[in-house]
Amino acid sequence: MQTRMWKKLHHPQKNDEAVREAAQLLLDQQVVAFPTETVYGLGADATNKQAVQRIFEAKGRPSDNPLIVHVSDRAQVESLTTEIPPVAAELMDAFWPGPLTLIFHSNGAAAENVTAGLATVAVRMPDHPLALALLKAADKPLAAPSANRSGRPSPTTASHVYQDLDGRIAGILDGGSTGVGLESTVLDITADIPVILRPGGVTKEDLETVLPRVVVDPALAGGTEEAPKSPGMKYKHYAPEAPLWLVEGKDSFFAETLAACKARGERVGIIASRELADALDHDRIIRCGSRRRLSEVAEGLYGALRAFKEADVDVILCESFPETGVGAAVMNRLNKAAEKKVKDQ
Ligand code: TXA
Ligand code: MG
C-alpha cells in the first residue's frame, strides 16, 4: 500500500484540501494517521467494523485491547452512549477538548471491535485543529489508538508514524510535533467513584478540582512491580531499541551507575533532564526538558525513547522523575518501558 503524506499543514487553504482528501479515505474505510494534542492517532470510522479491523492489522494490536473513540461535538458522544451522567457533563465542560478520555456505557453504536466486546466505550474530544477538522469533514466518530506499531513508543511527530507504519496505512496528516507528548488520561466514570485507568495529560490534581473523589486503579502500581518478574512482558510497551534501566536516586548515584556501565565496556545512551545532563560527563545524552517542569519531560519522552538505535548503544540509562502532576504519567510509561530499575541503597 502506498502511504500518502500530507506535509507542512500550516497553511489554512492547503489544510482544507488535505483534510478533505483524508476524510474521503476514512469514508472509503481506510485508516489515516492524524495529530492530536497528545500523540498521533491512527483513525478509522468507529461505526465500521471493517475499517476498524484495518487499525488492528496495521498496528499488529491484540484484538482484546479496546480503542478510544474521538469526537468533535457532544452530539457524537450521545450517539455512542446510553446516557451522559452529570459528572461527565462537568468533566467535559472542564477538560474538553483536551487529554481526558471518559469511559461511558456503550449503546452499541461503535463497532464491536472498537470496544473489544465490552459494554463500555471510551470517548474523547482532542484539542487539535487538524484532528477536529478531520472529524468534522468525515462527520463520523473516529476510533484512534496511538499511531505506532504495537509495543513501540507512541508517535509525537509524523516521521515517527512514518517509521512505524509506512506502507501499512493510507495516509498521514503531518501537523508537526504534538504538544502534550503523552496519551490522554483514561477515566472510568461508570463506577460511583471515578477511577483513573491510565494516568495522562490531565492530572489527578486537575481532576480533583472538579471531582470530590477520584482514585487510581490499584492494578497500575501492581502492574509495574510485576514487570521485571515476567520477562516476556518486558518489551511490550513503549519499548526502545536497547534495554532501558530506570535509575532512582541522587545525581551522584546516576553518575556512579554510568561509570559502572562504562567500566564493563558498555555503550551507554542517557535520557535525562537538562539539570542532570549538565552534571554528567558523557556525549550520548538526550535532554528532555527541565526536571522542574515535568510537562517538558512529558513532551520530550517518546522522542527520546525512539532516539537511540540498537546498533549504537547497549543500554539506556534513564532518570526517574517525581510522580507529581504529569510526572505520574511519565513514570507510568517509564516503568513499562524499563527492563529493570536500579535504586540507590
Ligand atoms: O491520547 C490518547 O489517548 C491517544 C490519542 C491518539 O488520542 N490514543 C491512545 O489510544 O492512546 P490507545 O489505543 O493507545 O490507548 C487506549 C487506552 C488503552 O489503555 C485501552 O485499554 C483503554 O484506552 N480503553 C479503551 N476503551 C476502553 C474501555 N471501554 N474500558 C477501559 N479501557 C479502555
Ligand atoms: Mg497506544
Side-chain angles (χ1 to χ4, degrees):
M1 180 188 299
Q2 183 84 25
T3 299
R4 185 88 200 268
M5 176 81 99
W6 293 277
K7 283 201 165 174
K8 299 205 177 63
L9 296 173
H10 308 299
H11 191 276
Q13 225 169 344
K14 223 173 148 192
N15 280 10
D16 283 354
E17 203 180 294
V19 164
R20 234 187 349 261
E21 288 169 356
Q24 188 54 53
L25 287 173
L26 291 168
L27 296 176
D28 293 339
Q29 301 171 20
Q30 297 299 312
V31 295
V32 173
F34 61 93
T36 79
E37 81 282 29
T38 59
V39 300
Y40 275 72
L42 183 59
D45 176 355
T47 62
N48 187 296
K49 189 176 171 187
Q50 199 191 339
V52 171
Q53 183 55 30
R54 293 205 163 106
I55 293 178
F56 287 93
E57 284 163 13
K59 284 189 55 120
R61 181 178 175 109
S63 60
D64 60 357
N65 194 0
L67 307 178
I68 294 171
V69 181
H70 295 65
V71 299
S72 57
D73 57 43
R74 299 261 177 118
Q76 284 182 330
V77 186
E78 284 165 24
S79 78
L80 295 160
T81 58
T82 56
E83 57 156 351
I84 299 182
V87 66
E90 278 177 59
L91 289 163
M92 292 189 287
D93 285 341
F95 300 111
W96 279 15
L100 178 66
T101 294
L102 299 174
I103 308 287
F104 293 91
H105 290 291
S106 170
N107 68 4
E112 60 190 330
N113 47 356
V114 169
T115 56
L118 297 174
T120 53
V121 61
V123 186
R124 89 175 187 99
M125 189 187 290
D127 187 14
H128 193 291
L130 271 176
L132 292 170
L134 183 64
L135 281 159
K136 290 213 170 79
D139 197 22
K140 298 269 186 192
L142 296 178
S146 49
N148 51 284
R149 287 292 283 266
S150 220
R152 298 261 295 145
S154 301
T156 53
T157 65
S159 83
H160 294 162
V161 179
Y162 188 81
Q163 283 164 22
D164 278 17
L165 298 173
D166 179 35
R168 305 176 70 88
I169 61 176
I172 304 170
L173 282 169
D174 182 352
S177 296
T178 59
V180 178
L182 290 176
E183 298 87 343
S184 62
T185 302
V186 178
L187 186 71
D188 186 357
I189 49 167
T190 63
D192 286 343
I193 299 168
V195 186
I196 296 173
L197 301 182
R198 177 177 74 181
V202 170
T203 66
K204 183 166 187 276
E205 293 87 337
D206 293 333
L207 292 171
E208 281 164 349
T209 64
V210 173
L211 300 172
R213 265 197 86 186
V214 55
V215 296
V216 179
D217 181 4
L220 285 181
T224 57
E225 288 308 314
E226 274 160 29
K229 279 191 239 138
S230 59
M233 297 287 286
K234 72 183 175 191
Y235 282 145
K236 228 184 140 214
H237 293 283
Y238 316 110
E241 289 188 17
L244 182 134
W245 295 2
L246 194 49
V247 182
E248 205 180 300
K250 294 201 178 78
D251 288 359
S252 56
F253 176 68
F254 197 103
E256 285 161 28
T257 308
L258 171 62
C261 288
K262 284 181 168 172
R264 288 193 295 271
E266 290 168 352
R267 296 164 306 162
V268 183
I270 290 177
I271 299 174
S273 65
R274 184 187 316 138
E275 291 85 353
L276 174 58
D278 287 347
L280 295 170
D281 180 22
H282 192 69
D283 45 6
R284 282 198 194 96
I285 303 187
I286 303 285
R287 290 169 156 77
C288 52
S290 166
R291 61 167 61 136
R292 285 190 289 272
R293 281 187 293 278
L294 294 172
S295 60
E296 292 181 3
V297 178
E299 194 177 337
L301 185 68
Y302 286 140
L305 289 176
R306 280 176 180 262
F308 293 112
K309 300 296 165 202
E310 195 178 13
D312 303 326
V313 296
D314 300 308
V315 63
I316 300 168
L317 298 183
C318 180
E319 178 175 353
S320 292
F321 297 93
E323 296 201 24
T324 51
V326 79
V330 168
M331 289 306 290
N332 169 266
R333 306 310 189 268
L334 282 175
N335 274 304
K336 288 192 172 174
E339 188 198 73
K340 71 170 186 176
K341 289 183 220 173
V342 189
K343 281 187 198 171
D344 198 0
Q345 294 310 319

